[in-house]
Every structure is written in C-alpha cells, then in structure tokens.
Amino acid sequence: MSAAPGAAILGCAGLALTADEVAFFREADPFGFILFARNIEAPDQVRRLTAALREAVGRDAPVLIDQEGGRVQRMRAPHWREWAPPLETVRAAGSVAEAARVMRLRSRVIAAELRAVGIDANCAPVADVASDVTHPFLRNRCYGTEAAVVTQVARAVAEGFLAGGVIPVVKHLPGHGRSHVDTHLDLPTVTASREELQAVDFAPFRALNDLPMAMTAHLVFSAYDGERPATQSPVMIDVIRREIGFDGLLMTDDLNMEALKGTLAERTARSIAAGVDVALQCNGHLDEMQAVAGAAGRMGPEAWRRGQAALAWRRDVVADVPALMAELADG
C-alpha cells in the first residue's frame, strides 16, 4: 500500500496556483482538492489548474467540485451548460421513473463536462429529504419530499456520474432535510425521534450506502447526541457506519461554516477524532489550509483503505454529449 496522504481536501485561492500554494501542497500532500467559482474562468484555464494541483502532490489526486445544477454549480455559461434546480427538474418530469431517467442523463452530461477539464469527483447526489421546514439554501437542491422518490432519483444521479467516470459524493449524511437554518450561518438542532429519522432521513443514505464517497452534515440530532453536530459526533459517525451502513470515504462538509465553533484546528481535530476520514476546507486561504492540514494529519489505515477504494471507481470515458443531449430532449 502506498504512503497515506494528508487527511484533508483543500481549495486554492484563484485561477492558477501561487508558488506558496505549490510549496504548501507539496509538503501537506492533501488527499484531494476542491474548486469553486473563483477558480473557474475557461476550459483551458481549468485544465491547467487541475493539472497543476496534481503535479504539486505528484500523484493523480481527486479534484472535486459542486456541480449540482441550479444555484449550486460552479461551472456556468458561456463555457458550460446551465441546469435548472434539481427539485424543479424532478417535479417537471411528471413521474419518478422519468425524473430518474432525466437526472441520470443530465448527470452523464455534467460528468463529461467535468472530466473534460480534469475534474473527477462531484459533490452530488443530494440525498436529503426535503420538508416544509427545509431552509431555502437547501430545499430546491433536493429531489423530493418522500424518501422513496429521493432514493430512486439519487441513485440515478450517482449512476450517471459513475457512467461518466466521475466519483459521486453523496450528501449530507445522515440527512440535512430537517435543517430550518442555513448551516453556513448557524447550527440547527433536529428534534425528530430515532424512529422518524430512520424511516425518512436515513433511508435514502441506507439505500445508497454502497457509494464510494459521502459528506457529513453540520446538524445536531438530539435523539442521538444533543450537543455535537454530526460532523464532530462519534455517536453520529457510528450511526453512519453501523445503522446506515456506509463504509465509503467520509468527508466533512466545509469546516469554515459557522454551524461549527472553535478554531479551524479545533474543528478539524474534533471531526477526525469523531471518525470522519477527511477534513474539507474550502476558501483557499493559505493560513487556514495550513491549520487544517496540521490538525488533520495523515489518513489512518482505514481512511486510506476507503480513499483508495473510492479512487478505484474513476475511469476514462469517451462521451457522445450531443447524443446524450438528444436523448435528454426526447422525453
């Protein structure tokens, strides 16, 4: 087994790497990287950036992005396709089977656009079950208000990405749909019973527990752990591993989000100690990345086993995008 990399996924500041970033990445050797709109200008530029990130760590590290469609897509027109919000697309389809078909094809096209610029992991599907209380920051990113619908569509989305050679990162375990506040700004507490959570919120993730990667939720589930958000709760990580049965690579949601308290080093250490495999730090600020990388340390044996298993799902695919778009329009 090759040496384990750092237990972090990190961003970068701009459209190209600085000399300081290259030196830091070479030393910290993070498991992977994540891109945001600030890193995206044009296809050739993104290709150069993803190549430079991998060159900095000397290996084929995964490069992630959030390309859900709707409000959350970092690559936009005129160089890339614009997509309607997922919930709007699912509802317009008219049936669950048609929604699954459309979302699978859409994901296949997104995968082709990602792979064309060197991105090989996408933070989707969103398997959270929406409800009347779901905060607007999340609601139209969901696929439905019933666990069975969300499960079927999320599976189709994951299949579309995998068919296109892109690793899906299912989010947000163990379920974000009952969040009535924006976790970028505050920490929500979910008061639903264990029975409710297992029947609704956890159900899609249990059905998707064979997927290679997943992201945690910054929510407190009072029925299990009334004090710590799932990202930092050994109790909730145990729920994810045992009750939900997810044995893939588990990464935190962005540790900069204000749902979490303490310094970035403290947030990172608590998450890793709770059992999360990899810490995610997104804003690209070098001093903050240094703090996270230092606190995260190297991936442990089990985390690295899961990481290597996840990376094995990547594959090179030649996509006929016009044919996929024609099939998408035929519905």
Side-chain angles (χ1 to χ4, degrees), residues 178-243:
R178 296 181 193 267
S179 175
H180 58 284
V181 300
D182 184 347
T183 47
H184 293 86
L185 306 174
D186 205 354
L187 175 64
T189 296
V190 173
T191 58
S193 69
R194 293 190 180 197
E195 291 74 20
E196 290 176 287
L197 292 168
Q198 289 168 357
V200 179
D201 305 65
F202 298 175
F205 297 103
R206 194 180 305 114
L208 300 168
N209 67 11
D210 59 316
L211 292 179
M213 290 181 66
M215 178 186 291
T216 62
H218 298 334
L219 278 73
V220 170
F221 293 85
S222 61
Y224 289 89
D225 184 341
E227 297 184 1
R228 294 168 292 192
T231 299
Q232 299 178 338
S233 167
V235 176
M236 294 312 301
I237 302 305
D238 190 65
V239 167
I240 289 169
R241 295 300 191 195
R242 294 178 183 272
E243 291 188 25

Short mmCIF file of all heavy atoms in Angstrom, two decimals, residues 178-243:
data_model
loop_
_atom_site.label_atom_id
_atom_site.label_comp_id
_atom_site.label_asym_id
_atom_site.label_seq_id
_atom_site.Cartn_x
_atom_site.Cartn_y
_atom_site.Cartn_z
N ARG A 178 -34.17 18.27 7.52
CA ARG A 178 -34.91 18.93 8.60
C ARG A 178 -34.23 20.21 9.08
O ARG A 178 -34.67 20.80 10.08
CB ARG A 178 -35.10 17.96 9.77
CG ARG A 178 -35.96 16.75 9.43
CD ARG A 178 -36.13 15.83 10.63
NE ARG A 178 -36.67 14.55 10.24
CZ ARG A 178 -37.99 14.24 10.25
NH1 ARG A 178 -38.87 15.16 10.63
NH2 ARG A 178 -38.39 13.06 9.87
N SER A 179 -33.19 20.63 8.40
CA SER A 179 -32.49 21.85 8.79
C SER A 179 -33.33 23.07 8.43
O SER A 179 -33.60 23.34 7.26
CB SER A 179 -31.14 21.94 8.08
OG SER A 179 -30.52 23.17 8.38
N HIS A 180 -33.72 23.83 9.44
CA HIS A 180 -34.54 25.02 9.24
C HIS A 180 -33.72 26.30 9.22
O HIS A 180 -34.26 27.39 9.05
CB HIS A 180 -35.62 25.11 10.33
CG HIS A 180 -35.03 25.16 11.72
ND1 HIS A 180 -34.52 24.03 12.33
CD2 HIS A 180 -34.84 26.19 12.58
CE1 HIS A 180 -34.06 24.36 13.53
NE2 HIS A 180 -34.23 25.65 13.70
N VAL A 181 -32.40 26.16 9.42
CA VAL A 181 -31.50 27.31 9.31
C VAL A 181 -30.37 26.95 8.35
O VAL A 181 -30.12 25.78 8.06
CB VAL A 181 -30.93 27.74 10.68
CG1 VAL A 181 -32.03 28.12 11.63
CG2 VAL A 181 -30.06 26.63 11.28
N ASP A 182 -29.68 27.97 7.87
CA ASP A 182 -28.56 27.79 6.95
C ASP A 182 -27.31 27.46 7.77
O ASP A 182 -26.86 28.28 8.57
CB ASP A 182 -28.36 29.08 6.15
CG ASP A 182 -27.27 28.97 5.11
OD1 ASP A 182 -26.50 28.00 5.13
OD2 ASP A 182 -27.19 29.89 4.26
N THR A 183 -26.77 26.27 7.57
CA THR A 183 -25.60 25.86 8.36
C THR A 183 -24.34 26.65 8.01
O THR A 183 -23.34 26.53 8.71
CB THR A 183 -25.34 24.35 8.20
OG1 THR A 183 -25.38 24.00 6.82
CG2 THR A 183 -26.37 23.54 8.96
N HIS A 184 -24.38 27.43 6.93
CA HIS A 184 -23.27 28.34 6.69
C HIS A 184 -23.24 29.43 7.77
O HIS A 184 -22.20 30.06 7.99
CB HIS A 184 -23.42 29.01 5.32
CG HIS A 184 -23.27 28.06 4.17
ND1 HIS A 184 -24.32 27.33 3.68
CD2 HIS A 184 -22.19 27.71 3.44
CE1 HIS A 184 -23.89 26.58 2.68
NE2 HIS A 184 -22.61 26.78 2.52
N LEU A 185 -24.39 29.64 8.46
CA LEU A 185 -24.52 30.74 9.39
C LEU A 185 -24.81 30.31 10.83
O LEU A 185 -24.51 31.04 11.76
CB LEU A 185 -25.65 31.68 8.93
CG LEU A 185 -25.53 32.21 7.50
CD1 LEU A 185 -26.77 33.00 7.13
CD2 LEU A 185 -24.28 33.06 7.34
N ASP A 186 -25.41 29.15 11.03
CA ASP A 186 -25.84 28.75 12.36
C ASP A 186 -25.94 27.23 12.44
O ASP A 186 -25.97 26.54 11.41
CB ASP A 186 -27.19 29.38 12.69
CG ASP A 186 -27.42 29.53 14.19
OD1 ASP A 186 -26.58 29.04 14.97
OD2 ASP A 186 -28.44 30.13 14.57
N LEU A 187 -26.03 26.71 13.67
CA LEU A 187 -26.10 25.27 13.90
C LEU A 187 -27.54 24.87 14.21
O LEU A 187 -28.08 25.25 15.25
CB LEU A 187 -25.19 24.86 15.06
CG LEU A 187 -25.26 23.39 15.49
CD1 LEU A 187 -24.78 22.48 14.36
CD2 LEU A 187 -24.42 23.17 16.75
N PRO A 188 -28.18 24.08 13.34
CA PRO A 188 -29.55 23.64 13.62
C PRO A 188 -29.57 22.39 14.49
O PRO A 188 -28.64 21.58 14.46
CB PRO A 188 -30.11 23.32 12.23
CG PRO A 188 -28.92 23.12 11.35
CD PRO A 188 -27.71 23.68 12.03
N THR A 189 -30.64 22.26 15.27
CA THR A 189 -30.88 21.06 16.06
C THR A 189 -32.13 20.37 15.53
O THR A 189 -33.19 20.99 15.41
CB THR A 189 -31.07 21.39 17.54
OG1 THR A 189 -29.85 21.94 18.05
CG2 THR A 189 -31.43 20.14 18.34
N VAL A 190 -32.00 19.08 15.20
CA VAL A 190 -33.11 18.27 14.72
C VAL A 190 -33.66 17.49 15.91
O VAL A 190 -32.92 16.77 16.58
CB VAL A 190 -32.63 17.30 13.61
CG1 VAL A 190 -33.74 16.33 13.23
CG2 VAL A 190 -32.17 18.10 12.40
N THR A 191 -34.96 17.64 16.16
CA THR A 191 -35.57 17.02 17.34
C THR A 191 -36.40 15.79 17.00
O THR A 191 -37.04 15.22 17.90
CB THR A 191 -36.46 18.04 18.08
OG1 THR A 191 -37.47 18.52 17.18
CG2 THR A 191 -35.63 19.22 18.58
N ALA A 192 -36.41 15.36 15.77
CA ALA A 192 -37.18 14.18 15.37
C ALA A 192 -36.70 12.95 16.14
O ALA A 192 -35.53 12.86 16.54
CB ALA A 192 -37.04 13.94 13.87
N SER A 193 -37.61 12.00 16.32
CA SER A 193 -37.27 10.78 17.04
C SER A 193 -36.38 9.88 16.20
O SER A 193 -36.27 10.04 14.98
CB SER A 193 -38.56 10.02 17.39
OG SER A 193 -39.16 9.51 16.20
N ARG A 194 -35.76 8.91 16.86
CA ARG A 194 -34.95 7.94 16.13
C ARG A 194 -35.78 7.21 15.09
O ARG A 194 -35.30 6.94 13.97
CB ARG A 194 -34.31 6.95 17.10
CG ARG A 194 -33.28 7.57 18.02
CD ARG A 194 -32.50 6.50 18.78
NE ARG A 194 -31.50 7.11 19.67
CZ ARG A 194 -30.47 6.45 20.19
NH1 ARG A 194 -30.31 5.15 19.92
NH2 ARG A 194 -29.62 7.06 20.98
N GLU A 195 -37.01 6.89 15.45
CA GLU A 195 -37.88 6.16 14.52
C GLU A 195 -38.16 6.99 13.27
O GLU A 195 -38.12 6.48 12.14
CB GLU A 195 -39.18 5.77 15.22
CG GLU A 195 -39.03 4.72 16.31
CD GLU A 195 -38.40 5.27 17.59
OE1 GLU A 195 -38.42 6.50 17.80
OE2 GLU A 195 -37.86 4.44 18.37
N GLU A 196 -38.46 8.28 13.46
CA GLU A 196 -38.70 9.17 12.32
C GLU A 196 -37.46 9.29 11.45
O GLU A 196 -37.54 9.24 10.21
CB GLU A 196 -39.11 10.56 12.81
CG GLU A 196 -40.48 10.67 13.44
CD GLU A 196 -40.73 12.07 13.96
OE1 GLU A 196 -40.13 12.44 14.99
OE2 GLU A 196 -41.50 12.80 13.30
N LEU A 197 -36.33 9.49 12.08
CA LEU A 197 -35.08 9.66 11.33
C LEU A 197 -34.75 8.41 10.53
O LEU A 197 -34.37 8.49 9.35
CB LEU A 197 -33.94 9.99 12.29
CG LEU A 197 -34.03 11.37 12.97
CD1 LEU A 197 -33.02 11.46 14.10
CD2 LEU A 197 -33.82 12.49 11.96
N GLN A 198 -34.90 7.24 11.14
CA GLN A 198 -34.58 6.00 10.45
C GLN A 198 -35.54 5.73 9.29
O GLN A 198 -35.13 5.23 8.24
CB GLN A 198 -34.59 4.85 11.45
CG GLN A 198 -33.41 4.89 12.42
CD GLN A 198 -33.56 3.94 13.59
OE1 GLN A 198 -34.57 3.27 13.74
NE2 GLN A 198 -32.55 3.90 14.44
N ALA A 199 -36.79 6.11 9.46
CA ALA A 199 -37.79 5.84 8.42
C ALA A 199 -37.70 6.81 7.25
O ALA A 199 -38.03 6.46 6.11
CB ALA A 199 -39.20 5.90 9.02
N VAL A 200 -37.27 8.03 7.51
CA VAL A 200 -37.29 9.07 6.47
C VAL A 200 -35.87 9.54 6.14
O VAL A 200 -35.33 9.25 5.07
CB VAL A 200 -38.16 10.27 6.90
CG1 VAL A 200 -38.15 11.36 5.81
CG2 VAL A 200 -39.59 9.82 7.20
N ASP A 201 -35.24 10.25 7.04
CA ASP A 201 -33.98 10.94 6.75
C ASP A 201 -32.85 9.98 6.41
O ASP A 201 -32.07 10.22 5.47
CB ASP A 201 -33.57 11.81 7.93
CG ASP A 201 -34.66 12.79 8.32
OD1 ASP A 201 -35.74 12.32 8.77
OD2 ASP A 201 -34.46 14.01 8.18
N PHE A 202 -32.72 8.91 7.19
CA PHE A 202 -31.62 7.98 6.98
C PHE A 202 -31.87 7.04 5.80
O PHE A 202 -30.91 6.47 5.26
CB PHE A 202 -31.39 7.12 8.22
CG PHE A 202 -30.99 7.85 9.46
CD1 PHE A 202 -30.85 7.18 10.67
CD2 PHE A 202 -30.75 9.23 9.46
CE1 PHE A 202 -30.49 7.83 11.83
CE2 PHE A 202 -30.40 9.91 10.62
CZ PHE A 202 -30.28 9.20 11.82
N ALA A 203 -33.13 6.87 5.41
CA ALA A 203 -33.49 5.81 4.44
C ALA A 203 -32.77 5.95 3.10
O ALA A 203 -32.23 4.94 2.59
CB ALA A 203 -35.00 5.77 4.24
N PRO A 204 -32.72 7.13 2.46
CA PRO A 204 -32.00 7.20 1.19
C PRO A 204 -30.52 6.87 1.33
O PRO A 204 -29.94 6.20 0.46
CB PRO A 204 -32.21 8.66 0.75
CG PRO A 204 -33.44 9.10 1.45
CD PRO A 204 -33.40 8.40 2.78
N PHE A 205 -29.91 7.31 2.41
CA PHE A 205 -28.48 7.05 2.59
C PHE A 205 -28.22 5.56 2.84
O PHE A 205 -27.20 5.03 2.40
CB PHE A 205 -27.94 7.90 3.74
CG PHE A 205 -28.03 9.37 3.46
CD1 PHE A 205 -29.02 10.15 4.05
CD2 PHE A 205 -27.15 9.99 2.59
CE1 PHE A 205 -29.12 11.51 3.78
CE2 PHE A 205 -27.24 11.35 2.31
CZ PHE A 205 -28.23 12.11 2.91
N ARG A 206 -29.15 4.91 3.54
CA ARG A 206 -29.01 3.47 3.74
C ARG A 206 -29.06 2.75 2.40
O ARG A 206 -28.30 1.81 2.14
CB ARG A 206 -30.11 2.96 4.67
CG ARG A 206 -29.87 1.55 5.21
CD ARG A 206 -31.00 1.11 6.13
NE ARG A 206 -31.24 2.03 7.23
CZ ARG A 206 -32.35 2.75 7.39
NH1 ARG A 206 -33.34 2.65 6.51
NH2 ARG A 206 -32.48 3.56 8.41
N ALA A 207 -29.96 3.20 1.52
CA ALA A 207 -30.09 2.59 0.19
C ALA A 207 -28.91 2.90 -0.71
O ALA A 207 -28.67 2.18 -1.69
CB ALA A 207 -31.39 3.05 -0.46
N LEU A 208 -28.17 3.95 -0.39
CA LEU A 208 -27.02 4.38 -1.20
C LEU A 208 -25.70 4.09 -0.51
O LEU A 208 -24.66 4.64 -0.88
CB LEU A 208 -27.13 5.89 -1.49
CG LEU A 208 -28.37 6.36 -2.26
CD1 LEU A 208 -28.48 7.87 -2.21
CD2 LEU A 208 -28.36 5.87 -3.69
N ASN A 209 -25.72 3.21 0.48
CA ASN A 209 -24.52 3.02 1.31
C ASN A 209 -23.37 2.32 0.60
O ASN A 209 -22.29 2.19 1.16
CB ASN A 209 -24.87 2.30 2.62
CG ASN A 209 -25.32 0.87 2.42
OD1 ASN A 209 -25.20 0.30 1.33
ND2 ASN A 209 -25.87 0.27 3.47
N ASP A 210 -23.60 1.90 -0.65
CA ASP A 210 -22.53 1.28 -1.42
C ASP A 210 -21.71 2.29 -2.22
O ASP A 210 -20.74 1.92 -2.88
CB ASP A 210 -23.13 0.25 -2.39
CG ASP A 210 -24.12 0.88 -3.36
OD1 ASP A 210 -24.95 1.71 -2.91
OD2 ASP A 210 -24.09 0.54 -4.56
N LEU A 211 -22.10 3.56 -2.19
CA LEU A 211 -21.40 4.57 -2.99
C LEU A 211 -20.04 4.88 -2.37
O LEU A 211 -19.81 4.68 -1.18
CB LEU A 211 -22.26 5.83 -3.11
CG LEU A 211 -23.52 5.64 -3.97
CD1 LEU A 211 -24.33 6.93 -4.02
CD2 LEU A 211 -23.17 5.18 -5.38
N PRO A 212 -19.09 5.38 -3.18
CA PRO A 212 -17.70 5.46 -2.74
C PRO A 212 -17.37 6.58 -1.78
O PRO A 212 -16.41 6.48 -1.01
CB PRO A 212 -16.92 5.63 -4.04
CG PRO A 212 -17.90 6.18 -5.02
CD PRO A 212 -19.23 5.61 -4.64
N MET A 213 -18.10 7.71 -1.84
CA MET A 213 -17.76 8.86 -1.01
C MET A 213 -19.03 9.54 -0.51
O MET A 213 -20.06 9.49 -1.17
CB MET A 213 -16.91 9.88 -1.78
CG MET A 213 -15.50 9.42 -2.08
SD MET A 213 -14.51 10.68 -2.97
CE MET A 213 -14.36 11.98 -1.75
N ALA A 214 -18.91 10.19 0.64
CA ALA A 214 -20.05 10.92 1.21
C ALA A 214 -19.54 12.07 2.06
O ALA A 214 -18.38 12.09 2.49
CB ALA A 214 -20.95 10.00 2.02
N MET A 215 -20.45 13.01 2.32
CA MET A 215 -20.16 14.23 3.08
C MET A 215 -21.09 14.30 4.28
O MET A 215 -22.27 14.00 4.17
CB MET A 215 -20.36 15.45 2.17
CG MET A 215 -20.13 16.80 2.83
SD MET A 215 -20.55 18.17 1.70
CE MET A 215 -19.25 18.02 0.47
N THR A 216 -20.55 14.75 5.41
CA THR A 216 -21.35 14.84 6.63
C THR A 216 -22.19 16.11 6.67
O THR A 216 -21.97 17.05 5.90
CB THR A 216 -20.45 14.83 7.87
OG1 THR A 216 -19.59 15.98 7.81
CG2 THR A 216 -19.63 13.56 7.96
N ALA A 217 -23.13 16.13 7.62
CA ALA A 217 -23.99 17.29 7.87
C ALA A 217 -23.59 17.96 9.18
O ALA A 217 -23.31 17.27 10.16
CB ALA A 217 -25.45 16.86 7.93
N HIS A 218 -23.62 19.29 9.19
CA HIS A 218 -23.36 20.04 10.42
C HIS A 218 -24.68 20.27 11.16
O HIS A 218 -25.18 21.40 11.26
CB HIS A 218 -22.72 21.39 10.10
CG HIS A 218 -21.39 21.33 9.43
ND1 HIS A 218 -20.51 20.27 9.55
CD2 HIS A 218 -20.76 22.24 8.63
CE1 HIS A 218 -19.41 20.54 8.86
NE2 HIS A 218 -19.54 21.71 8.30
N LEU A 219 -25.30 19.20 11.62
CA LEU A 219 -26.55 19.27 12.35
C LEU A 219 -26.45 18.48 13.64
O LEU A 219 -25.80 17.43 13.67
CB LEU A 219 -27.73 18.67 11.54
CG LEU A 219 -28.42 19.51 10.47
CD1 LEU A 219 -27.52 19.66 9.26
CD2 LEU A 219 -29.73 18.85 10.07
N VAL A 220 -27.13 18.96 14.69
CA VAL A 220 -27.27 18.21 15.92
C VAL A 220 -28.54 17.37 15.84
O VAL A 220 -29.60 17.89 15.48
CB VAL A 220 -27.35 19.15 17.15
CG1 VAL A 220 -27.75 18.37 18.40
CG2 VAL A 220 -26.02 19.87 17.36
N PHE A 221 -28.43 16.09 16.12
CA PHE A 221 -29.58 15.19 16.17
C PHE A 221 -29.81 14.83 17.64
O PHE A 221 -29.15 13.96 18.20
CB PHE A 221 -29.32 13.94 15.32
CG PHE A 221 -29.23 14.23 13.85
CD1 PHE A 221 -28.03 14.63 13.28
CD2 PHE A 221 -30.34 14.12 13.04
CE1 PHE A 221 -27.94 14.92 11.92
CE2 PHE A 221 -30.27 14.41 11.68
CZ PHE A 221 -29.08 14.81 11.12
N SER A 222 -30.77 15.51 18.26
CA SER A 222 -30.92 15.41 19.71
C SER A 222 -31.32 14.01 20.16
O SER A 222 -31.07 13.63 21.31
CB SER A 222 -31.94 16.44 20.21
OG SER A 222 -33.22 16.21 19.63
N ALA A 223 -31.93 13.22 19.29
CA ALA A 223 -32.31 11.85 19.67
C ALA A 223 -31.08 10.96 19.87
O ALA A 223 -31.19 9.89 20.49
CB ALA A 223 -33.22 11.26 18.59
N TYR A 224 -29.94 11.39 19.36
CA TYR A 224 -28.72 10.60 19.48
C TYR A 224 -27.64 11.30 20.29
O TYR A 224 -27.02 10.71 21.16
CB TYR A 224 -28.16 10.28 18.09
CG TYR A 224 -28.96 9.29 17.28
CD1 TYR A 224 -29.99 9.70 16.45
CD2 TYR A 224 -28.68 7.92 17.36
CE1 TYR A 224 -30.72 8.78 15.71
CE2 TYR A 224 -29.39 6.99 16.62
CZ TYR A 224 -30.42 7.42 15.80
OH TYR A 224 -31.14 6.51 15.07
N ASP A 225 -27.36 12.55 19.94
CA ASP A 225 -26.30 13.32 20.60
C ASP A 225 -26.78 14.76 20.65
O ASP A 225 -26.78 15.46 19.63
CB ASP A 225 -24.99 13.19 19.82
CG ASP A 225 -23.82 13.89 20.50
OD1 ASP A 225 -24.06 14.76 21.36
OD2 ASP A 225 -22.66 13.57 20.17
N GLY A 226 -27.19 15.21 21.81
CA GLY A 226 -27.83 16.52 21.93
C GLY A 226 -26.89 17.70 21.91
O GLY A 226 -27.34 18.83 21.97
N GLU A 227 -25.58 17.45 21.83
CA GLU A 227 -24.63 18.56 21.93
C GLU A 227 -23.77 18.75 20.68
O GLU A 227 -23.50 19.88 20.29
CB GLU A 227 -23.71 18.34 23.14
CG GLU A 227 -24.47 18.34 24.47
CD GLU A 227 -23.54 18.22 25.66
OE1 GLU A 227 -22.30 18.15 25.44
OE2 GLU A 227 -24.04 18.19 26.79
N ARG A 228 -23.33 17.66 20.08
CA ARG A 228 -22.35 17.78 19.00
C ARG A 228 -22.99 17.61 17.63
O ARG A 228 -23.81 16.71 17.43
CB ARG A 228 -21.24 16.74 19.18
CG ARG A 228 -20.40 16.96 20.42
CD ARG A 228 -19.51 15.78 20.73
NE ARG A 228 -20.27 14.60 21.14
CZ ARG A 228 -19.74 13.51 21.69
NH1 ARG A 228 -18.44 13.46 21.90
NH2 ARG A 228 -20.51 12.49 22.02
N PRO A 229 -22.60 18.45 16.64
CA PRO A 229 -23.07 18.24 15.27
C PRO A 229 -22.55 16.92 14.72
O PRO A 229 -21.49 16.43 15.16
CB PRO A 229 -22.51 19.44 14.50
CG PRO A 229 -21.35 19.91 15.31
CD PRO A 229 -21.68 19.61 16.74
N ALA A 230 -23.26 16.34 13.79
CA ALA A 230 -22.91 15.01 13.28
C ALA A 230 -21.45 14.95 12.82
O ALA A 230 -20.77 13.95 13.04
CB ALA A 230 -23.84 14.64 12.13
N THR A 231 -20.97 16.01 12.20
CA THR A 231 -19.59 16.06 11.71
C THR A 231 -18.58 15.80 12.81
O THR A 231 -17.49 15.26 12.55
CB THR A 231 -19.32 17.43 11.05
OG1 THR A 231 -20.21 17.59 9.94
CG2 THR A 231 -17.89 17.57 10.58
N GLN A 232 -18.92 16.17 14.04
CA GLN A 232 -17.97 16.07 15.15
C GLN A 232 -18.43 15.11 16.24
O GLN A 232 -17.86 15.08 17.33
CB GLN A 232 -17.75 17.46 15.75
CG GLN A 232 -17.16 18.44 14.75
CD GLN A 232 -16.99 19.84 15.30
OE1 GLN A 232 -17.63 20.22 16.27
NE2 GLN A 232 -16.12 20.62 14.67
N SER A 233 -19.44 14.29 15.94
CA SER A 233 -20.02 13.41 16.94
C SER A 233 -19.64 11.95 16.70
O SER A 233 -20.07 11.36 15.70
CB SER A 233 -21.55 13.54 16.93
OG SER A 233 -22.16 12.50 17.67
N PRO A 234 -18.87 11.33 17.59
CA PRO A 234 -18.59 9.90 17.44
C PRO A 234 -19.86 9.06 17.41
O PRO A 234 -19.91 8.04 16.72
CB PRO A 234 -17.73 9.57 18.67
CG PRO A 234 -17.19 10.87 19.15
CD PRO A 234 -18.21 11.91 18.79
N VAL A 235 -20.87 9.51 18.12
CA VAL A 235 -22.15 8.79 18.14
C VAL A 235 -22.77 8.79 16.74
O VAL A 235 -23.21 7.75 16.23
CB VAL A 235 -23.12 9.43 19.15
CG1 VAL A 235 -24.50 8.74 19.08
CG2 VAL A 235 -22.55 9.37 20.56
N MET A 236 -22.79 9.96 16.08
CA MET A 236 -23.42 10.05 14.76
C MET A 236 -22.57 9.39 13.68
O MET A 236 -23.10 8.84 12.71
CB MET A 236 -23.70 11.52 14.41
CG MET A 236 -24.73 12.19 15.29
SD MET A 236 -26.24 11.22 15.55
CE MET A 236 -26.83 11.00 13.86
N ILE A 237 -21.26 9.45 13.82
CA ILE A 237 -20.41 8.74 12.85
C ILE A 237 -20.65 7.24 12.97
O ILE A 237 -20.67 6.51 11.97
CB ILE A 237 -18.93 9.09 13.04
CG1 ILE A 237 -18.71 10.61 12.89
CG2 ILE A 237 -18.06 8.32 12.04
CD1 ILE A 237 -19.21 11.21 11.59
N ASP A 238 -20.86 6.78 14.21
CA ASP A 238 -21.19 5.36 14.41
C ASP A 238 -22.54 5.02 13.78
O ASP A 238 -22.70 3.94 13.19
CB ASP A 238 -21.21 5.04 15.91
CG ASP A 238 -21.32 3.55 16.17
OD1 ASP A 238 -20.37 2.83 15.82
OD2 ASP A 238 -22.35 3.11 16.71
N VAL A 239 -23.50 5.94 13.87
CA VAL A 239 -24.80 5.74 13.19
C VAL A 239 -24.59 5.62 11.68
O VAL A 239 -25.16 4.75 11.02
CB VAL A 239 -25.76 6.91 13.52
CG1 VAL A 239 -26.98 6.90 12.59
CG2 VAL A 239 -26.20 6.83 14.98
N ILE A 240 -23.76 6.51 11.14
CA ILE A 240 -23.49 6.48 9.70
C ILE A 240 -22.83 5.16 9.30
O ILE A 240 -23.20 4.55 8.28
CB ILE A 240 -22.59 7.68 9.31
CG1 ILE A 240 -23.39 8.98 9.41
CG2 ILE A 240 -22.01 7.51 7.90
CD1 ILE A 240 -22.55 10.25 9.31
N ARG A 241 -21.89 4.70 10.08
CA ARG A 241 -21.17 3.47 9.75
C ARG A 241 -22.01 2.22 10.01
O ARG A 241 -22.02 1.29 9.19
CB ARG A 241 -19.87 3.39 10.56
CG ARG A 241 -18.85 4.48 10.22
CD ARG A 241 -18.41 4.44 8.78
NE ARG A 241 -17.25 5.30 8.54
CZ ARG A 241 -16.84 5.66 7.33
NH1 ARG A 241 -17.49 5.26 6.25
NH2 ARG A 241 -15.77 6.43 7.18
N ARG A 242 -22.73 2.18 11.14
CA ARG A 242 -23.40 0.94 11.54
C ARG A 242 -24.88 0.90 11.12
O ARG A 242 -25.32 -0.05 10.47
CB ARG A 242 -23.28 0.74 13.05
CG ARG A 242 -21.84 0.50 13.50
CD ARG A 242 -21.77 0.35 15.01
NE ARG A 242 -20.39 0.20 15.47
CZ ARG A 242 -19.76 -0.96 15.58
NH1 ARG A 242 -20.39 -2.09 15.25
NH2 ARG A 242 -18.51 -1.02 16.01
N GLU A 243 -25.66 1.92 11.50
CA GLU A 243 -27.09 1.89 11.18
C GLU A 243 -27.33 2.14 9.69
O GLU A 243 -28.16 1.47 9.07
CB GLU A 243 -27.85 2.91 12.02
CG GLU A 243 -27.91 2.57 13.50
CD GLU A 243 -28.83 3.51 14.27
OE1 GLU A 243 -29.75 4.08 13.66
OE2 GLU A 243 -28.61 3.66 15.49
#
